[in-house]
mmCIF file with all atom_site columns, all heavy atoms in Angstrom:
data_model
loop_
_atom_site.group_PDB
_atom_site.id
_atom_site.type_symbol
_atom_site.label_atom_id
_atom_site.label_alt_id
_atom_site.label_comp_id
_atom_site.label_asym_id
_atom_site.label_entity_id
_atom_site.label_seq_id
_atom_site.pdbx_PDB_ins_code
_atom_site.Cartn_x
_atom_site.Cartn_y
_atom_site.Cartn_z
_atom_site.occupancy
_atom_site.B_iso_or_equiv
_atom_site.pdbx_formal_charge
_atom_site.auth_seq_id
_atom_site.auth_comp_id
_atom_site.auth_asym_id
_atom_site.auth_atom_id
_atom_site.pdbx_PDB_model_num
ATOM 1   N N   . LEU A 1 1  ? -39.795 -86.242  26.160 1.00 0.00 ? 1  LEU A N   1
ATOM 2   C CA  . LEU A 1 1  ? -39.455 -85.359  27.212 1.00 0.00 ? 1  LEU A CA  1
ATOM 3   C C   . LEU A 1 1  ? -39.125 -83.979  26.684 1.00 0.00 ? 1  LEU A C   1
ATOM 4   O O   . LEU A 1 1  ? -39.481 -82.929  27.334 1.00 0.00 ? 1  LEU A O   1
ATOM 5   C CB  . LEU A 1 1  ? -38.245 -85.931  28.020 1.00 0.00 ? 1  LEU A CB  1
ATOM 6   C CG  . LEU A 1 1  ? -38.528 -87.147  28.892 1.00 0.00 ? 1  LEU A CG  1
ATOM 7   C CD1 . LEU A 1 1  ? -37.258 -87.691  29.506 1.00 0.00 ? 1  LEU A CD1 1
ATOM 8   C CD2 . LEU A 1 1  ? -39.550 -86.900  30.020 1.00 0.00 ? 1  LEU A CD2 1
ATOM 9   N N   . ASP A 1 2  ? -38.444 -83.897  25.580 1.00 0.00 ? 2  ASP A N   1
ATOM 10  C CA  . ASP A 1 2  ? -38.076 -82.624  24.915 1.00 0.00 ? 2  ASP A CA  1
ATOM 11  C C   . ASP A 1 2  ? -39.370 -81.822  24.634 1.00 0.00 ? 2  ASP A C   1
ATOM 12  O O   . ASP A 1 2  ? -39.312 -80.589  24.934 1.00 0.00 ? 2  ASP A O   1
ATOM 13  C CB  . ASP A 1 2  ? -37.287 -82.778  23.691 1.00 0.00 ? 2  ASP A CB  1
ATOM 14  C CG  . ASP A 1 2  ? -35.868 -83.353  23.865 1.00 0.00 ? 2  ASP A CG  1
ATOM 15  O OD1 . ASP A 1 2  ? -35.432 -83.168  24.985 1.00 0.00 ? 2  ASP A OD1 1
ATOM 16  O OD2 . ASP A 1 2  ? -35.405 -83.949  22.862 1.00 0.00 ? 2  ASP A OD2 1
ATOM 17  N N   . ASN A 1 3  ? -40.387 -82.421  24.299 1.00 0.00 ? 3  ASN A N   1
ATOM 18  C CA  . ASN A 1 3  ? -41.733 -81.708  24.042 1.00 0.00 ? 3  ASN A CA  1
ATOM 19  C C   . ASN A 1 3  ? -42.300 -81.234  25.397 1.00 0.00 ? 3  ASN A C   1
ATOM 20  O O   . ASN A 1 3  ? -42.863 -80.180  25.368 1.00 0.00 ? 3  ASN A O   1
ATOM 21  C CB  . ASN A 1 3  ? -42.592 -82.644  23.314 1.00 0.00 ? 3  ASN A CB  1
ATOM 22  C CG  . ASN A 1 3  ? -42.303 -82.761  21.820 1.00 0.00 ? 3  ASN A CG  1
ATOM 23  O OD1 . ASN A 1 3  ? -41.766 -81.828  21.221 1.00 0.00 ? 3  ASN A OD1 1
ATOM 24  N ND2 . ASN A 1 3  ? -42.549 -83.900  21.249 1.00 0.00 ? 3  ASN A ND2 1
ATOM 25  N N   . LEU A 1 4  ? -42.208 -82.100  26.377 1.00 0.00 ? 4  LEU A N   1
ATOM 26  C CA  . LEU A 1 4  ? -42.713 -81.678  27.667 1.00 0.00 ? 4  LEU A CA  1
ATOM 27  C C   . LEU A 1 4  ? -41.941 -80.460  28.236 1.00 0.00 ? 4  LEU A C   1
ATOM 28  O O   . LEU A 1 4  ? -42.589 -79.548  28.796 1.00 0.00 ? 4  LEU A O   1
ATOM 29  C CB  . LEU A 1 4  ? -42.586 -82.821  28.723 1.00 0.00 ? 4  LEU A CB  1
ATOM 30  C CG  . LEU A 1 4  ? -43.592 -84.009  28.646 1.00 0.00 ? 4  LEU A CG  1
ATOM 31  C CD1 . LEU A 1 4  ? -43.231 -84.978  29.661 1.00 0.00 ? 4  LEU A CD1 1
ATOM 32  C CD2 . LEU A 1 4  ? -44.984 -83.518  28.754 1.00 0.00 ? 4  LEU A CD2 1
ATOM 33  N N   . PHE A 1 5  ? -40.656 -80.366  28.075 1.00 0.00 ? 5  PHE A N   1
ATOM 34  C CA  . PHE A 1 5  ? -39.837 -79.352  28.544 1.00 0.00 ? 5  PHE A CA  1
ATOM 35  C C   . PHE A 1 5  ? -40.042 -77.954  27.782 1.00 0.00 ? 5  PHE A C   1
ATOM 36  O O   . PHE A 1 5  ? -39.573 -76.963  28.191 1.00 0.00 ? 5  PHE A O   1
ATOM 37  C CB  . PHE A 1 5  ? -38.338 -79.689  28.512 1.00 0.00 ? 5  PHE A CB  1
ATOM 38  C CG  . PHE A 1 5  ? -38.007 -80.656  29.572 1.00 0.00 ? 5  PHE A CG  1
ATOM 39  C CD1 . PHE A 1 5  ? -37.280 -81.817  29.351 1.00 0.00 ? 5  PHE A CD1 1
ATOM 40  C CD2 . PHE A 1 5  ? -38.362 -80.410  30.919 1.00 0.00 ? 5  PHE A CD2 1
ATOM 41  C CE1 . PHE A 1 5  ? -36.980 -82.701  30.337 1.00 0.00 ? 5  PHE A CE1 1
ATOM 42  C CE2 . PHE A 1 5  ? -37.980 -81.235  31.967 1.00 0.00 ? 5  PHE A CE2 1
ATOM 43  C CZ  . PHE A 1 5  ? -37.343 -82.424  31.617 1.00 0.00 ? 5  PHE A CZ  1
ATOM 44  N N   . LYS A 1 6  ? -40.939 -78.056  26.690 1.00 0.00 ? 6  LYS A N   1
ATOM 45  C CA  . LYS A 1 6  ? -41.301 -76.791  26.069 1.00 0.00 ? 6  LYS A CA  1
ATOM 46  C C   . LYS A 1 6  ? -42.290 -75.965  26.967 1.00 0.00 ? 6  LYS A C   1
ATOM 47  O O   . LYS A 1 6  ? -42.401 -74.731  26.831 1.00 0.00 ? 6  LYS A O   1
ATOM 48  C CB  . LYS A 1 6  ? -41.890 -77.064  24.708 1.00 0.00 ? 6  LYS A CB  1
ATOM 49  C CG  . LYS A 1 6  ? -40.853 -77.566  23.727 1.00 0.00 ? 6  LYS A CG  1
ATOM 50  C CD  . LYS A 1 6  ? -41.622 -77.904  22.394 1.00 0.00 ? 6  LYS A CD  1
ATOM 51  C CE  . LYS A 1 6  ? -40.588 -78.490  21.361 1.00 0.00 ? 6  LYS A CE  1
ATOM 52  N NZ  . LYS A 1 6  ? -41.261 -78.904  20.103 1.00 0.00 ? 6  LYS A NZ  1
ATOM 53  N N   . ASP A 1 7  ? -42.999 -76.766  27.792 1.00 0.00 ? 7  ASP A N   1
ATOM 54  C CA  . ASP A 1 7  ? -44.004 -76.180  28.669 1.00 0.00 ? 7  ASP A CA  1
ATOM 55  C C   . ASP A 1 7  ? -43.722 -76.261  30.126 1.00 0.00 ? 7  ASP A C   1
ATOM 56  O O   . ASP A 1 7  ? -44.274 -75.576  30.948 1.00 0.00 ? 7  ASP A O   1
ATOM 57  C CB  . ASP A 1 7  ? -45.404 -76.854  28.404 1.00 0.00 ? 7  ASP A CB  1
ATOM 58  C CG  . ASP A 1 7  ? -45.806 -76.719  26.998 1.00 0.00 ? 7  ASP A CG  1
ATOM 59  O OD1 . ASP A 1 7  ? -45.839 -75.577  26.464 1.00 0.00 ? 7  ASP A OD1 1
ATOM 60  O OD2 . ASP A 1 7  ? -46.223 -77.689  26.295 1.00 0.00 ? 7  ASP A OD2 1
ATOM 61  N N   . PHE A 1 8  ? -42.830 -77.177  30.613 1.00 0.00 ? 8  PHE A N   1
ATOM 62  C CA  . PHE A 1 8  ? -42.560 -77.469  31.967 1.00 0.00 ? 8  PHE A CA  1
ATOM 63  C C   . PHE A 1 8  ? -41.030 -77.466  32.250 1.00 0.00 ? 8  PHE A C   1
ATOM 64  O O   . PHE A 1 8  ? -40.263 -77.911  31.381 1.00 0.00 ? 8  PHE A O   1
ATOM 65  C CB  . PHE A 1 8  ? -43.175 -78.786  32.457 1.00 0.00 ? 8  PHE A CB  1
ATOM 66  C CG  . PHE A 1 8  ? -44.613 -78.853  32.243 1.00 0.00 ? 8  PHE A CG  1
ATOM 67  C CD1 . PHE A 1 8  ? -45.194 -79.429  31.135 1.00 0.00 ? 8  PHE A CD1 1
ATOM 68  C CD2 . PHE A 1 8  ? -45.433 -78.310  33.204 1.00 0.00 ? 8  PHE A CD2 1
ATOM 69  C CE1 . PHE A 1 8  ? -46.518 -79.532  30.944 1.00 0.00 ? 8  PHE A CE1 1
ATOM 70  C CE2 . PHE A 1 8  ? -46.848 -78.385  33.036 1.00 0.00 ? 8  PHE A CE2 1
ATOM 71  C CZ  . PHE A 1 8  ? -47.431 -78.970  31.942 1.00 0.00 ? 8  PHE A CZ  1
ATOM 72  N N   . LYS A 1 9  ? -40.586 -76.967  33.361 1.00 0.00 ? 9  LYS A N   1
ATOM 73  C CA  . LYS A 1 9  ? -39.163 -76.994  33.733 1.00 0.00 ? 9  LYS A CA  1
ATOM 74  C C   . LYS A 1 9  ? -38.828 -78.243  34.417 1.00 0.00 ? 9  LYS A C   1
ATOM 75  O O   . LYS A 1 9  ? -37.670 -78.628  34.456 1.00 0.00 ? 9  LYS A O   1
ATOM 76  C CB  . LYS A 1 9  ? -38.872 -75.763  34.587 1.00 0.00 ? 9  LYS A CB  1
ATOM 77  C CG  . LYS A 1 9  ? -39.094 -74.374  33.937 1.00 0.00 ? 9  LYS A CG  1
ATOM 78  C CD  . LYS A 1 9  ? -38.778 -73.285  34.923 1.00 0.00 ? 9  LYS A CD  1
ATOM 79  C CE  . LYS A 1 9  ? -39.133 -71.937  34.295 1.00 0.00 ? 9  LYS A CE  1
ATOM 80  N NZ  . LYS A 1 9  ? -38.941 -70.812  35.285 1.00 0.00 ? 9  LYS A NZ  1
ATOM 81  N N   . ILE A 1 10 ? -39.736 -78.900  35.156 1.00 0.00 ? 10 ILE A N   1
ATOM 82  C CA  . ILE A 1 10 ? -39.475 -80.059  35.936 1.00 0.00 ? 10 ILE A CA  1
ATOM 83  C C   . ILE A 1 10 ? -40.445 -81.197  35.596 1.00 0.00 ? 10 ILE A C   1
ATOM 84  O O   . ILE A 1 10 ? -41.757 -80.960  35.594 1.00 0.00 ? 10 ILE A O   1
ATOM 85  C CB  . ILE A 1 10 ? -39.586 -79.781  37.484 1.00 0.00 ? 10 ILE A CB  1
ATOM 86  C CG1 . ILE A 1 10 ? -38.717 -78.570  37.825 1.00 0.00 ? 10 ILE A CG1 1
ATOM 87  C CG2 . ILE A 1 10 ? -39.233 -80.994  38.272 1.00 0.00 ? 10 ILE A CG2 1
ATOM 88  C CD1 . ILE A 1 10 ? -38.820 -78.156  39.252 1.00 0.00 ? 10 ILE A CD1 1
ATOM 89  N N   . VAL A 1 11 ? -39.994 -82.353  35.313 1.00 0.00 ? 11 VAL A N   1
ATOM 90  C CA  . VAL A 1 11 ? -40.758 -83.558  35.073 1.00 0.00 ? 11 VAL A CA  1
ATOM 91  C C   . VAL A 1 11 ? -40.434 -84.548  36.189 1.00 0.00 ? 11 VAL A C   1
ATOM 92  O O   . VAL A 1 11 ? -39.307 -84.948  36.377 1.00 0.00 ? 11 VAL A O   1
ATOM 93  C CB  . VAL A 1 11 ? -40.600 -84.170  33.743 1.00 0.00 ? 11 VAL A CB  1
ATOM 94  C CG1 . VAL A 1 11 ? -41.322 -85.462  33.557 1.00 0.00 ? 11 VAL A CG1 1
ATOM 95  C CG2 . VAL A 1 11 ? -41.018 -83.147  32.604 1.00 0.00 ? 11 VAL A CG2 1
ATOM 96  N N   . LEU A 1 12 ? -41.469 -85.069  36.894 1.00 0.00 ? 12 LEU A N   1
ATOM 97  C CA  . LEU A 1 12 ? -41.343 -86.140  37.840 1.00 0.00 ? 12 LEU A CA  1
ATOM 98  C C   . LEU A 1 12 ? -41.784 -87.405  37.332 1.00 0.00 ? 12 LEU A C   1
ATOM 99  O O   . LEU A 1 12 ? -42.944 -87.577  36.918 1.00 0.00 ? 12 LEU A O   1
ATOM 100 C CB  . LEU A 1 12 ? -42.127 -85.713  39.140 1.00 0.00 ? 12 LEU A CB  1
ATOM 101 C CG  . LEU A 1 12 ? -42.232 -86.835  40.189 1.00 0.00 ? 12 LEU A CG  1
ATOM 102 C CD1 . LEU A 1 12 ? -40.896 -87.165  40.868 1.00 0.00 ? 12 LEU A CD1 1
ATOM 103 C CD2 . LEU A 1 12 ? -43.276 -86.401  41.375 1.00 0.00 ? 12 LEU A CD2 1
ATOM 104 N N   . LEU A 1 13 ? -40.912 -88.378  37.273 1.00 0.00 ? 13 LEU A N   1
ATOM 105 C CA  . LEU A 1 13 ? -41.288 -89.728  36.768 1.00 0.00 ? 13 LEU A CA  1
ATOM 106 C C   . LEU A 1 13 ? -41.886 -90.605  37.805 1.00 0.00 ? 13 LEU A C   1
ATOM 107 O O   . LEU A 1 13 ? -41.708 -90.337  39.037 1.00 0.00 ? 13 LEU A O   1
ATOM 108 C CB  . LEU A 1 13 ? -40.052 -90.458  36.170 1.00 0.00 ? 13 LEU A CB  1
ATOM 109 C CG  . LEU A 1 13 ? -39.272 -89.757  35.029 1.00 0.00 ? 13 LEU A CG  1
ATOM 110 C CD1 . LEU A 1 13 ? -38.087 -90.545  34.661 1.00 0.00 ? 13 LEU A CD1 1
ATOM 111 C CD2 . LEU A 1 13 ? -40.130 -89.373  33.967 1.00 0.00 ? 13 LEU A CD2 1
ATOM 112 N N   . GLU A 1 14 ? -42.661 -91.599  37.409 1.00 0.00 ? 14 GLU A N   1
ATOM 113 C CA  . GLU A 1 14 ? -43.286 -92.477  38.345 1.00 0.00 ? 14 GLU A CA  1
ATOM 114 C C   . GLU A 1 14 ? -42.294 -93.278  39.202 1.00 0.00 ? 14 GLU A C   1
ATOM 115 O O   . GLU A 1 14 ? -41.058 -93.373  38.775 1.00 0.00 ? 14 GLU A O   1
ATOM 116 C CB  . GLU A 1 14 ? -44.251 -93.421  37.654 1.00 0.00 ? 14 GLU A CB  1
ATOM 117 C CG  . GLU A 1 14 ? -45.056 -94.335  38.492 1.00 0.00 ? 14 GLU A CG  1
ATOM 118 C CD  . GLU A 1 14 ? -45.993 -93.688  39.532 1.00 0.00 ? 14 GLU A CD  1
ATOM 119 O OE1 . GLU A 1 14 ? -45.473 -93.230  40.502 1.00 0.00 ? 14 GLU A OE1 1
ATOM 120 O OE2 . GLU A 1 14 ? -47.169 -93.659  39.296 1.00 0.00 ? 14 GLU A OE2 1
ATOM 121 N N   . ASN A 1 15 ? -42.702 -93.696  40.348 1.00 0.00 ? 15 ASN A N   1
ATOM 122 C CA  . ASN A 1 15 ? -41.882 -94.433  41.326 1.00 0.00 ? 15 ASN A CA  1
ATOM 123 C C   . ASN A 1 15 ? -40.897 -95.449  40.726 1.00 0.00 ? 15 ASN A C   1
ATOM 124 O O   . ASN A 1 15 ? -41.266 -96.391  39.984 1.00 0.00 ? 15 ASN A O   1
ATOM 125 C CB  . ASN A 1 15 ? -42.838 -95.170  42.240 1.00 0.00 ? 15 ASN A CB  1
ATOM 126 C CG  . ASN A 1 15 ? -42.073 -95.740  43.469 1.00 0.00 ? 15 ASN A CG  1
ATOM 127 O OD1 . ASN A 1 15 ? -40.903 -95.908  43.524 1.00 0.00 ? 15 ASN A OD1 1
ATOM 128 N ND2 . ASN A 1 15 ? -42.910 -96.011  44.504 1.00 0.00 ? 15 ASN A ND2 1
ATOM 129 N N   . ILE A 1 16 ? -39.615 -95.173  40.857 1.00 0.00 ? 16 ILE A N   1
ATOM 130 C CA  . ILE A 1 16 ? -38.562 -95.961  40.174 1.00 0.00 ? 16 ILE A CA  1
ATOM 131 C C   . ILE A 1 16 ? -38.485 -97.369  40.659 1.00 0.00 ? 16 ILE A C   1
ATOM 132 O O   . ILE A 1 16 ? -38.067 -98.312  39.952 1.00 0.00 ? 16 ILE A O   1
ATOM 133 C CB  . ILE A 1 16 ? -37.175 -95.315  40.362 1.00 0.00 ? 16 ILE A CB  1
ATOM 134 C CG1 . ILE A 1 16 ? -36.084 -95.832  39.384 1.00 0.00 ? 16 ILE A CG1 1
ATOM 135 C CG2 . ILE A 1 16 ? -36.711 -95.352  41.845 1.00 0.00 ? 16 ILE A CG2 1
ATOM 136 C CD1 . ILE A 1 16 ? -36.302 -95.559  37.996 1.00 0.00 ? 16 ILE A CD1 1
ATOM 137 N N   . ARG A 1 17 ? -39.063 -97.649  41.877 1.00 0.00 ? 17 ARG A N   1
ATOM 138 C CA  . ARG A 1 17 ? -39.184 -99.045  42.379 1.00 0.00 ? 17 ARG A CA  1
ATOM 139 C C   . ARG A 1 17 ? -40.344 -99.721  41.924 1.00 0.00 ? 17 ARG A C   1
ATOM 140 O O   . ARG A 1 17 ? -40.511 -100.950 42.313 1.00 0.00 ? 17 ARG A O   1
ATOM 141 C CB  . ARG A 1 17 ? -39.040 -98.993  43.934 1.00 0.00 ? 17 ARG A CB  1
ATOM 142 C CG  . ARG A 1 17 ? -37.674 -98.596  44.428 1.00 0.00 ? 17 ARG A CG  1
ATOM 143 C CD  . ARG A 1 17 ? -37.463 -98.787  45.858 1.00 0.00 ? 17 ARG A CD  1
ATOM 144 N NE  . ARG A 1 17 ? -36.116 -98.349  46.287 1.00 0.00 ? 17 ARG A NE  1
ATOM 145 C CZ  . ARG A 1 17 ? -35.773 -98.128  47.560 1.00 0.00 ? 17 ARG A CZ  1
ATOM 146 N NH1 . ARG A 1 17 ? -36.621 -98.412  48.579 1.00 0.00 ? 17 ARG A NH1 1
ATOM 147 N NH2 . ARG A 1 17 ? -34.608 -97.757  47.902 1.00 0.00 ? 17 ARG A NH2 1
ATOM 148 N N   . PHE A 1 18 ? -41.041 -99.216  40.974 1.00 0.00 ? 18 PHE A N   1
ATOM 149 C CA  . PHE A 1 18 ? -42.085 -100.017 40.357 1.00 0.00 ? 18 PHE A CA  1
ATOM 150 C C   . PHE A 1 18 ? -41.456 -100.973 39.317 1.00 0.00 ? 18 PHE A C   1
ATOM 151 O O   . PHE A 1 18 ? -42.139 -101.870 38.796 1.00 0.00 ? 18 PHE A O   1
ATOM 152 C CB  . PHE A 1 18 ? -43.135 -99.140  39.590 1.00 0.00 ? 18 PHE A CB  1
ATOM 153 C CG  . PHE A 1 18 ? -44.095 -98.560  40.435 1.00 0.00 ? 18 PHE A CG  1
ATOM 154 C CD1 . PHE A 1 18 ? -45.076 -97.619  39.852 1.00 0.00 ? 18 PHE A CD1 1
ATOM 155 C CD2 . PHE A 1 18 ? -44.254 -98.715  41.786 1.00 0.00 ? 18 PHE A CD2 1
ATOM 156 C CE1 . PHE A 1 18 ? -46.148 -97.062  40.634 1.00 0.00 ? 18 PHE A CE1 1
ATOM 157 C CE2 . PHE A 1 18 ? -45.249 -98.206  42.570 1.00 0.00 ? 18 PHE A CE2 1
ATOM 158 C CZ  . PHE A 1 18 ? -46.191 -97.355  42.058 1.00 0.00 ? 18 PHE A CZ  1
ATOM 159 N N   . TYR A 1 19 ? -40.230 -100.820 39.073 1.00 0.00 ? 19 TYR A N   1
ATOM 160 C CA  . TYR A 1 19 ? -39.437 -101.592 38.019 1.00 0.00 ? 19 TYR A CA  1
ATOM 161 C C   . TYR A 1 19 ? -38.430 -102.489 38.730 1.00 0.00 ? 19 TYR A C   1
ATOM 162 O O   . TYR A 1 19 ? -37.589 -102.041 39.402 1.00 0.00 ? 19 TYR A O   1
ATOM 163 C CB  . TYR A 1 19 ? -38.774 -100.644 37.127 1.00 0.00 ? 19 TYR A CB  1
ATOM 164 C CG  . TYR A 1 19 ? -39.696 -99.575  36.495 1.00 0.00 ? 19 TYR A CG  1
ATOM 165 C CD1 . TYR A 1 19 ? -39.893 -98.330  37.154 1.00 0.00 ? 19 TYR A CD1 1
ATOM 166 C CD2 . TYR A 1 19 ? -40.489 -99.825  35.377 1.00 0.00 ? 19 TYR A CD2 1
ATOM 167 C CE1 . TYR A 1 19 ? -40.748 -97.362  36.639 1.00 0.00 ? 19 TYR A CE1 1
ATOM 168 C CE2 . TYR A 1 19 ? -41.356 -98.954  34.907 1.00 0.00 ? 19 TYR A CE2 1
ATOM 169 C CZ  . TYR A 1 19 ? -41.462 -97.690  35.548 1.00 0.00 ? 19 TYR A CZ  1
ATOM 170 O OH  . TYR A 1 19 ? -42.309 -96.734  35.044 1.00 0.00 ? 19 TYR A OH  1
ATOM 171 N N   . LYS A 1 20 ? -38.573 -103.773 38.479 1.00 0.00 ? 20 LYS A N   1
ATOM 172 C CA  . LYS A 1 20 ? -37.633 -104.787 39.064 1.00 0.00 ? 20 LYS A CA  1
ATOM 173 C C   . LYS A 1 20 ? -36.246 -104.474 38.557 1.00 0.00 ? 20 LYS A C   1
ATOM 174 O O   . LYS A 1 20 ? -35.238 -104.759 39.312 1.00 0.00 ? 20 LYS A O   1
ATOM 175 C CB  . LYS A 1 20 ? -38.039 -106.154 38.605 1.00 0.00 ? 20 LYS A CB  1
ATOM 176 C CG  . LYS A 1 20 ? -39.338 -106.700 39.298 1.00 0.00 ? 20 LYS A CG  1
ATOM 177 C CD  . LYS A 1 20 ? -39.614 -108.128 38.842 1.00 0.00 ? 20 LYS A CD  1
ATOM 178 C CE  . LYS A 1 20 ? -40.722 -108.768 39.774 1.00 0.00 ? 20 LYS A CE  1
ATOM 179 N NZ  . LYS A 1 20 ? -42.027 -108.018 39.527 1.00 0.00 ? 20 LYS A NZ  1
ATOM 180 N N   . GLU A 1 21 ? -36.068 -103.910 37.461 1.00 0.00 ? 21 GLU A N   1
ATOM 181 C CA  . GLU A 1 21 ? -34.636 -103.628 36.911 1.00 0.00 ? 21 GLU A CA  1
ATOM 182 C C   . GLU A 1 21 ? -33.931 -102.631 37.813 1.00 0.00 ? 21 GLU A C   1
ATOM 183 O O   . GLU A 1 21 ? -32.717 -102.528 37.717 1.00 0.00 ? 21 GLU A O   1
ATOM 184 C CB  . GLU A 1 21 ? -34.836 -103.088 35.477 1.00 0.00 ? 21 GLU A CB  1
ATOM 185 C CG  . GLU A 1 21 ? -35.555 -103.930 34.486 1.00 0.00 ? 21 GLU A CG  1
ATOM 186 C CD  . GLU A 1 21 ? -36.980 -103.628 34.308 1.00 0.00 ? 21 GLU A CD  1
ATOM 187 O OE1 . GLU A 1 21 ? -37.623 -103.213 35.310 1.00 0.00 ? 21 GLU A OE1 1
ATOM 188 O OE2 . GLU A 1 21 ? -37.516 -103.792 33.194 1.00 0.00 ? 21 GLU A OE2 1
ATOM 189 N N   . GLU A 1 22 ? -34.618 -101.802 38.606 1.00 0.00 ? 22 GLU A N   1
ATOM 190 C CA  . GLU A 1 22 ? -34.017 -100.795 39.337 1.00 0.00 ? 22 GLU A CA  1
ATOM 191 C C   . GLU A 1 22 ? -33.083 -101.422 40.340 1.00 0.00 ? 22 GLU A C   1
ATOM 192 O O   . GLU A 1 22 ? -31.890 -101.126 40.480 1.00 0.00 ? 22 GLU A O   1
ATOM 193 C CB  . GLU A 1 22 ? -35.030 -99.967  40.042 1.00 0.00 ? 22 GLU A CB  1
ATOM 194 C CG  . GLU A 1 22 ? -34.582 -99.131  41.258 1.00 0.00 ? 22 GLU A CG  1
ATOM 195 C CD  . GLU A 1 22 ? -33.650 -98.022  40.935 1.00 0.00 ? 22 GLU A CD  1
ATOM 196 O OE1 . GLU A 1 22 ? -33.236 -97.862  39.806 1.00 0.00 ? 22 GLU A OE1 1
ATOM 197 O OE2 . GLU A 1 22 ? -33.148 -97.298  41.864 1.00 0.00 ? 22 GLU A OE2 1
ATOM 198 N N   . GLU A 1 23 ? -33.657 -102.356 41.179 1.00 0.00 ? 23 GLU A N   1
ATOM 199 C CA  . GLU A 1 23 ? -32.776 -102.940 42.278 1.00 0.00 ? 23 GLU A CA  1
ATOM 200 C C   . GLU A 1 23 ? -31.782 -103.961 41.720 1.00 0.00 ? 23 GLU A C   1
ATOM 201 O O   . GLU A 1 23 ? -30.760 -104.289 42.340 1.00 0.00 ? 23 GLU A O   1
ATOM 202 C CB  . GLU A 1 23 ? -33.701 -103.566 43.315 1.00 0.00 ? 23 GLU A CB  1
ATOM 203 C CG  . GLU A 1 23 ? -34.555 -102.591 44.075 1.00 0.00 ? 23 GLU A CG  1
ATOM 204 C CD  . GLU A 1 23 ? -35.270 -103.132 45.214 1.00 0.00 ? 23 GLU A CD  1
ATOM 205 O OE1 . GLU A 1 23 ? -34.920 -104.213 45.708 1.00 0.00 ? 23 GLU A OE1 1
ATOM 206 O OE2 . GLU A 1 23 ? -36.278 -102.513 45.601 1.00 0.00 ? 23 GLU A OE2 1
ATOM 207 N N   . LYS A 1 24 ? -32.021 -104.457 40.511 1.00 0.00 ? 24 LYS A N   1
ATOM 208 C CA  . LYS A 1 24 ? -31.074 -105.383 39.885 1.00 0.00 ? 24 LYS A CA  1
ATOM 209 C C   . LYS A 1 24 ? -29.981 -104.550 39.184 1.00 0.00 ? 24 LYS A C   1
ATOM 210 O O   . LYS A 1 24 ? -28.992 -105.231 38.697 1.00 0.00 ? 24 LYS A O   1
ATOM 211 C CB  . LYS A 1 24 ? -31.866 -106.219 38.817 1.00 0.00 ? 24 LYS A CB  1
ATOM 212 C CG  . LYS A 1 24 ? -32.790 -107.238 39.406 1.00 0.00 ? 24 LYS A CG  1
ATOM 213 C CD  . LYS A 1 24 ? -33.510 -108.026 38.303 1.00 0.00 ? 24 LYS A CD  1
ATOM 214 C CE  . LYS A 1 24 ? -34.489 -108.970 38.898 1.00 0.00 ? 24 LYS A CE  1
ATOM 215 N NZ  . LYS A 1 24 ? -35.227 -109.716 37.854 1.00 0.00 ? 24 LYS A NZ  1
ATOM 216 N N   . ASN A 1 25 ? -30.115 -103.242 39.095 1.00 0.00 ? 25 ASN A N   1
ATOM 217 C CA  . ASN A 1 25 ? -29.148 -102.450 38.370 1.00 0.00 ? 25 ASN A CA  1
ATOM 218 C C   . ASN A 1 25 ? -28.919 -102.965 36.906 1.00 0.00 ? 25 ASN A C   1
ATOM 219 O O   . ASN A 1 25 ? -27.778 -103.059 36.437 1.00 0.00 ? 25 ASN A O   1
ATOM 220 C CB  . ASN A 1 25 ? -27.751 -102.357 39.071 1.00 0.00 ? 25 ASN A CB  1
ATOM 221 C CG  . ASN A 1 25 ? -26.905 -101.277 38.675 1.00 0.00 ? 25 ASN A CG  1
ATOM 222 O OD1 . ASN A 1 25 ? -27.352 -100.382 37.916 1.00 0.00 ? 25 ASN A OD1 1
ATOM 223 N ND2 . ASN A 1 25 ? -25.643 -101.166 39.141 1.00 0.00 ? 25 ASN A ND2 1
ATOM 224 N N   . ASP A 1 26 ? -30.068 -103.333 36.312 1.00 0.00 ? 26 ASP A N   1
ATOM 225 C CA  . ASP A 1 26 ? -30.101 -103.930 34.963 1.00 0.00 ? 26 ASP A CA  1
ATOM 226 C C   . ASP A 1 26 ? -29.477 -102.877 33.946 1.00 0.00 ? 26 ASP A C   1
ATOM 227 O O   . ASP A 1 26 ? -29.915 -101.737 33.822 1.00 0.00 ? 26 ASP A O   1
ATOM 228 C CB  . ASP A 1 26 ? -31.493 -104.238 34.586 1.00 0.00 ? 26 ASP A CB  1
ATOM 229 C CG  . ASP A 1 26 ? -31.683 -104.822 33.232 1.00 0.00 ? 26 ASP A CG  1
ATOM 230 O OD1 . ASP A 1 26 ? -31.478 -106.014 33.090 1.00 0.00 ? 26 ASP A OD1 1
ATOM 231 O OD2 . ASP A 1 26 ? -32.010 -104.019 32.258 1.00 0.00 ? 26 ASP A OD2 1
#
């Protein structure tokens, strides 16, 4: 991410609900 931020100010991650761990608060 640090390398991405050399060229971009904002990074959007993929849908957080693609991960079962999200709703489990893993």
Side-chain angles (χ1 to χ4, degrees):
L1 289 175
D2 289 340
N3 284 327
L4 285 180
F5 285 129
K6 292 176 182 178
D7 299 310
F8 302 95
K9 298 176 182 177
I10 305 174
V11 173
L12 172 64
L13 302 183
E14 183 58 284
N15 192 340
I16 194 69
R17 288 190 183 167
F18 279 179
Y19 308 91
K20 289 182 171 64
E21 300 96 327
E22 162 68 359
E23 296 190 20
K24 293 178 180 178
N25 199 7
D26 180 82

